Amino acid sequence: MDRIARALERAKENRQFKPAQMPVSSPQATSDAFAAALQVDIPEDFLRKMKIIGGFPNDPHADSYRLLRTRVTQRMQQQGWVTLGITSPRPRAGKTLTSINLAITIAMDPKYSVLLIDADLKNPSVHRVFGISAEKGIADYLTTDTELEGLLVSPGIERFAILPCVSRIDGSSELLGGLKMQALINSFKQRKGSLIVLFDLPPVLISDDVVTLSSKLDAMLIVVEDGATKTQDLRRSVELMEHAQILGTVLNKAREKEADTYGYY
């Protein structure tokens, strides 16, 4: 745990933002903000180029995401869960693209609406993958009086919105562990039913952010890269998230065509 302790100390010394200690919006306000999300039309060829294929029902590569969607939503419905964090042991396993495609695939089911939160405050990339130029994001919500309705973006996909993070943020663990983030998560959990909120988180082994936030979410999903993720890294990641509910793992970049891309512990 020395590494995490050192990371905490560095965050305290370098932080640029201080968590706002103010009440979060009510569930109704959250619903209104979702409906008021800024609509951005993204060309279909750009989505395909960026491997955002969850919204294309006839794309054979989307089958794995549909299978993942079914297993994830079934488990979340059974448990009454609303919030799901997605991480990986180390960078470049594909956890952000997995988060995006899973979110879109869930939103394709009319029973659900999906909010994808870019909570990788050290290396935010969700808006860049979509080619969206955002001026404000989650840090503005957590540190100022800015309302959600002024921050959410919908990339032309029904029942789907993004809360972006527009730039790297020092002191990220303080923001993610602050009272306002906890209140926001609690407000999501009160809306059991159609809403599912996915959090794209940083890799577990590069910062303490996931350790800070994972126990506050209903469940966690771990993305591993076929042939690259080391067993000891996966084991260590699970140990660090000892207080979290681990839903399972996603095998990404599988080399075998027919490989099952999803697995439970």
Side-chain angles (χ1 to χ4, degrees):
M1 297 297 289
D2 290 342
R3 177 185 59 78
I4 295 177
R6 290 195 299 270
L8 278 169
E9 288 303 317
R10 287 196 300 270
K12 290 177 182 178
E13 292 172 0
N14 299 326
R15 67 174 179 248
Q16 296 176 345
F17 295 94
K18 295 182 179 179
Q21 307 298 325
M22 60 186 77
V24 77
S25 304
S26 67
Q28 181 59 48
T30 302
S31 178
D32 293 342
F34 194 92
L38 175 65
Q39 301 294 315
V40 178
D41 290 327
I42 301 176
E44 184 175 308
D45 59 346
F46 181 84
L47 294 176
R48 291 187 183 275
K49 177 183 177 182
M50 299 304 292
K51 300 181 180 180
I52 303 175
I53 45 84
F56 300 112
N58 297 323
D59 191 315
H61 296 94
D63 288 343
S64 295
Y65 289 111
R66 286 190 283 269
L67 175 61
L68 178 59
R69 171 190 65 187
T70 299
R71 293 181 174 179
V72 167
T73 54
Q74 283 180 348
R75 184 72 182 279
M76 294 187 74
Q77 276 190 327
Q78 290 169 359
Q79 301 295 332
W81 292 338
V82 176
T83 58
L84 176 67
I86 301 176
T87 186
S88 60
R90 294 194 183 277
R92 292 180 290 279
K95 53 93 181 170
T96 295
L97 196 58
T98 298
S99 300
I100 291 171
N101 277 304
L102 176 58
I104 293 173
T105 307
I106 294 175
M108 297 299 290
D109 186 333
K111 296 194 300 292
Y112 301 105
S113 57
V114 183
L115 175 60
L116 174 59
I117 297 178
D118 191 344
D120 189 347
L121 307 189
K122 295 185 181 300
N123 185 30
S125 60
V126 171
H127 67 293
R128 292 200 298 269
V129 174
F130 277 101
I132 296 171
S133 179
E135 296 182 357
K136 294 184 178 181
I138 186 172
D140 299 275
Y141 178 77
L142 294 175
T143 61
T144 71
D145 293 332
T146 305
E147 298 290 341
L148 279 178
E149 62 187 18
L151 302 173
L152 301 190
V153 179
S154 178
I157 298 170
E158 193 174 358
R159 298 181 300 277
F160 173 58
I162 300 165
L163 176 57
C165 180
V166 298
S167 61
R168 175 187 170 91
I169 299 169
D170 291 325
S172 53
S173 61
E174 284 84 1
L175 283 182
L176 295 176
L179 294 179
K180 195 169 185 185
M181 174 59 85
Q182 181 65 72
L184 180 62
I185 292 171
N186 289 342
S187 76
F188 292 142
K189 290 181 178 181
Q190 292 173 18
R191 296 188 58 213
K192 294 180 180 180
S194 65
L195 178 67
I196 291 181
V197 184
L198 303 186
F199 291 75
D200 179 38
L201 297 167
V204 181
L205 300 180
I206 67 168
S207 75
D208 60 312
D209 290 8
V210 176
V211 178
T212 298
L213 194 60
S214 60
S215 62
K216 296 175 170 52
L217 302 177
D218 291 317
M220 294 292 300
L221 198 62
I222 305 175
V223 178
V224 297
E225 182 180 354
D226 187 25
T229 300
K230 297 179 180 179
T231 301
Q232 58 265 36
D233 285 346
L234 178 57
R235 184 179 297 114
R236 181 57 177 159
S237 298
V238 174
E239 291 173 353
L240 288 172
M241 294 188 290
E242 60 179 337
H243 299 298
Q245 176 68 53
I246 308 296
L247 180 61
T249 60
V250 177
L251 178 63
N252 198 30
K253 304 179 185 179
R255 297 174 183 178
E256 297 181 16
K257 267 190 174 181
E258 302 301 323
D260 185 359
T261 60
Y262 187 76
Y264 283 106
Y265 285 106

